[in-house]
Amino acid sequence: MTIVADTVSIQTRRAQLRSDVNLAARVIPTHYPLETFIAVNPLAGLESMPFEQAVRRAGDLYGSPGVLSETTFRDLYRAGRITDADLESTLRLRYPTLLDGQPVRMGTCAVTPAQLLRGDLLHGSVAPKPLRRNMTRSEQAAPTVAEQVDAKAAKWCAAFFGSTAAGWPMPDHDKGFYHAWRMLAPADHKLSRRVRAVLRALPIRADDAALQALDLLGVTDDDRITYLQAHLTRLPGWAAHVRWSAERATGVDLLDYLAMRLTYESILLSHNRSSAPDEPVAASRPRIPSARERAGALARAWGLDEVSDTDLGAAARVLSALPVTARQLVWQQAYETHYRDALLRALAENSAAPSTGRAAAQIVCCIDTRSEGLRRHIESLGEYQTFGFAGFFAVAIRFTGLLGGTPNDLCPVLIRPEHEVVERPLPSAADAAQRLRNGSLLMAGAEAAFHAAKQALIAPFALAEAAGWAAGPWAAAKTLSPMASGELRRRLRDRLAPRPLPCFRSTTPSHWPTAPFTHKSHSPPWASRSNSPGWWSCAGTAASPRTTRTRPPWTVGPAAGRPAAPTPAPPPRSSTTPMSGPNWAPWGSPFPTTPGSWRLSTTPPPTASPCWTST
């Protein structure tokens, strides 16, 4: 019975630990890798809080400010970027009752509450930088150990998440992060022999190693979530990337990451002779002046003499409404108010004239905020109408090119593709497609062999003698004349692997939810107005280049998906052509004839066919 009870207890502790890790990770936002670029809110883990509360909470977690410093804001005030009117407006929004109060006597002067608060913003002592409130044992006792733990964690994460094409991949990478680290860490000769001996005896399971380390550190079950958050926020970038990778079953999760960090901390602290700090960490926190001290400092800054204690007390009661730690957020609001009011005035003064007739053209742009300026300038040129819509036009597809390989999801990373599009050659282009495959394999093999030789131990010496005469001039050509070298590379690629006219066939796997291309689910909001007078007299869409070596800035955004692959575009329609659902299917959406160009048309669309043809 005792054995059964112990087994249940161990299983329960493991489950509780995993639950605590999930709760602790809620404050960590998800960071996407560069190949799936998307804007991420750094306060994503705190979205349930109001903005100002989330900024303060983030300061407590990470020890970093969420807004500019008071010194910078005061420089902006002196430069005219923030005015007295901006501060007055912001203070009145936040403290309407206080600002309507009676003036306060300070010596021989009568000062209004608004003047007191504004004077404190301009002349008060600078607010201290936020400090981490949840700290690890090593941060409190031995900061050098905390830095060593961070360095070890970053080193092993970089080794595990390194490119799969690296010349020297991490051993046992396929068995998972914790297993690979557990096998390699004892061979780290930068650690002492005693530390390496302890690492050799680590438990096989990551959760057991984490529980063992927490016990050695003296962390109770009640404090465990807070302590795990302290470790996750030490290196929030790596922790966020581990969290993203865990959702894709890449062999690592936050428990593996925390087990490594906690193990290092518990072992290094136990073998650190100078673990006792010279002074308590709390003593290093700067002291915040009281409201009465702020009132006295303000009187001295204004050159007011003979200010009585009663006057200072009355001024302190007003200043206590604005804590020192909240002043930066007041500055931030005033900074935004100045820009917002100026923008609204400019828009009101330059409002577009009402349309007097049929639009000369209607242009659909991405909903990316960078398109707003483009749309305003286009509409200011004359009778043009612009519309904002998602760059993937509500058709989330997974695209596999003619050469195969990993499919590309041509939609925002937060959306799951509903349709799969596979590129296959037309029967008449089968020979050309085979030539493309053979040429691409030849070029890829040559490039892979060249890079493999560079990364080997001995081969680089022979490679320098054999290929240096060609690699050197080619590197110089790419530096001195990138356009000419790029054109030469393109011609060589087109000669070895000419691209045939492909055909794209839409295939939806049976295990995916059925989502046919219908008028209701995939037509843009303007489709229902196709019969309106003056609608779609002339339409324009923009297309990205078919292939790119460097991602253009206009293909990066929340709705751009990935470049170098087809994205369904709305076909031009005449005002007399009904815009029905099947016409918006991918097999009825022709691509622009010239990559990267505008296509303006007033002709009806071609007859729908069961495939796409790329031009």
Side-chain angles (χ1 to χ4, degrees), residues 40 140 151 174 398 568 579 601:
V40 175
Q140 297 172 345
D174 57 328
R398 176 167 294 166
M579 192 172 295
S601 174

PDB file of all heavy atoms in Angstrom, residues 40 140 151 174 398 568 579 601:
ATOM      1  N   VAL A  40       3.648  41.184 -33.031  1.00  0.00           N
ATOM      2  CA  VAL A  40       3.237  40.549 -31.782  1.00  0.00           C
ATOM      3  C   VAL A  40       3.172  41.614 -30.692  1.00  0.00           C
ATOM      4  O   VAL A  40       4.083  42.439 -30.562  1.00  0.00           O
ATOM      5  CB  VAL A  40       4.221  39.430 -31.373  1.00  0.00           C
ATOM      6  CG1 VAL A  40       3.846  38.860 -30.011  1.00  0.00           C
ATOM      7  CG2 VAL A  40       4.230  38.326 -32.410  1.00  0.00           C
ATOM      8  N   GLN A 140      18.893  36.899  -6.026  1.00  0.00           N
ATOM      9  CA  GLN A 140      18.918  37.467  -4.687  1.00  0.00           C
ATOM     10  C   GLN A 140      20.240  37.208  -3.978  1.00  0.00           C
ATOM     11  O   GLN A 140      20.744  38.075  -3.263  1.00  0.00           O
ATOM     12  CB  GLN A 140      17.769  36.885  -3.859  1.00  0.00           C
ATOM     13  CG  GLN A 140      16.386  37.235  -4.397  1.00  0.00           C
ATOM     14  CD  GLN A 140      15.283  36.487  -3.670  1.00  0.00           C
ATOM     15  OE1 GLN A 140      15.544  35.520  -2.958  1.00  0.00           O
ATOM     16  NE2 GLN A 140      14.050  36.924  -3.851  1.00  0.00           N
ATOM     17  N   ALA A 151      23.443  32.395 -19.368  1.00  0.00           N
ATOM     18  CA  ALA A 151      24.378  32.092 -20.454  1.00  0.00           C
ATOM     19  C   ALA A 151      24.272  30.629 -20.873  1.00  0.00           C
ATOM     20  O   ALA A 151      24.280  30.311 -22.076  1.00  0.00           O
ATOM     21  CB  ALA A 151      25.802  32.426 -20.013  1.00  0.00           C
ATOM     22  N   ASP A 174      17.012  14.646 -32.288  1.00  0.00           N
ATOM     23  CA  ASP A 174      15.727  14.019 -32.583  1.00  0.00           C
ATOM     24  C   ASP A 174      15.082  13.402 -31.354  1.00  0.00           C
ATOM     25  O   ASP A 174      13.892  13.061 -31.379  1.00  0.00           O
ATOM     26  CB  ASP A 174      15.912  12.944 -33.658  1.00  0.00           C
ATOM     27  CG  ASP A 174      16.942  11.896 -33.253  1.00  0.00           C
ATOM     28  OD1 ASP A 174      17.898  12.258 -32.533  1.00  0.00           O
ATOM     29  OD2 ASP A 174      16.796  10.727 -33.655  1.00  0.00           O
ATOM     30  N   ARG A 398      -2.995  26.291 -48.576  1.00  0.00           N
ATOM     31  CA  ARG A 398      -1.669  25.709 -48.339  1.00  0.00           C
ATOM     32  C   ARG A 398      -1.109  25.318 -49.697  1.00  0.00           C
ATOM     33  O   ARG A 398      -1.675  24.476 -50.394  1.00  0.00           O
ATOM     34  CB  ARG A 398      -1.766  24.508 -47.414  1.00  0.00           C
ATOM     35  CG  ARG A 398      -0.447  23.774 -47.192  1.00  0.00           C
ATOM     36  CD  ARG A 398      -0.572  22.811 -46.030  1.00  0.00           C
ATOM     37  NE  ARG A 398      -0.770  23.536 -44.786  1.00  0.00           N
ATOM     38  CZ  ARG A 398      -1.184  22.968 -43.658  1.00  0.00           C
ATOM     39  NH1 ARG A 398      -1.478  21.677 -43.641  1.00  0.00           N
ATOM     40  NH2 ARG A 398      -1.334  23.682 -42.562  1.00  0.00           N
ATOM     41  N   PRO A 568      -4.528  34.204 -54.175  1.00  0.00           N
ATOM     42  CA  PRO A 568      -5.723  34.515 -54.954  1.00  0.00           C
ATOM     43  C   PRO A 568      -6.006  36.002 -54.953  1.00  0.00           C
ATOM     44  O   PRO A 568      -5.975  36.650 -53.918  1.00  0.00           O
ATOM     45  CB  PRO A 568      -6.823  33.743 -54.222  1.00  0.00           C
ATOM     46  CG  PRO A 568      -6.103  32.659 -53.506  1.00  0.00           C
ATOM     47  CD  PRO A 568      -4.774  33.225 -53.130  1.00  0.00           C
ATOM     48  N   MET A 579     -21.290  39.180 -59.857  1.00  0.00           N
ATOM     49  CA  MET A 579     -20.166  38.610 -59.116  1.00  0.00           C
ATOM     50  C   MET A 579     -20.685  37.475 -58.254  1.00  0.00           C
ATOM     51  O   MET A 579     -21.006  37.643 -57.091  1.00  0.00           O
ATOM     52  CB  MET A 579     -19.495  39.686 -58.262  1.00  0.00           C
ATOM     53  CG  MET A 579     -18.164  39.260 -57.687  1.00  0.00           C
ATOM     54  SD  MET A 579     -17.336  40.625 -56.917  1.00  0.00           S
ATOM     55  CE  MET A 579     -17.043  41.661 -58.325  1.00  0.00           C
ATOM     56  N   SER A 601      -8.760  46.639 -65.977  1.00  0.00           N
ATOM     57  CA  SER A 601      -9.535  46.010 -67.032  1.00  0.00           C
ATOM     58  C   SER A 601     -10.998  46.360 -66.873  1.00  0.00           C
ATOM     59  O   SER A 601     -11.489  46.582 -65.774  1.00  0.00           O
ATOM     60  CB  SER A 601      -9.362  44.485 -66.980  1.00  0.00           C
ATOM     61  OG  SER A 601     -10.222  43.856 -67.903  1.00  0.00           O
TER      62      SER A 601
END
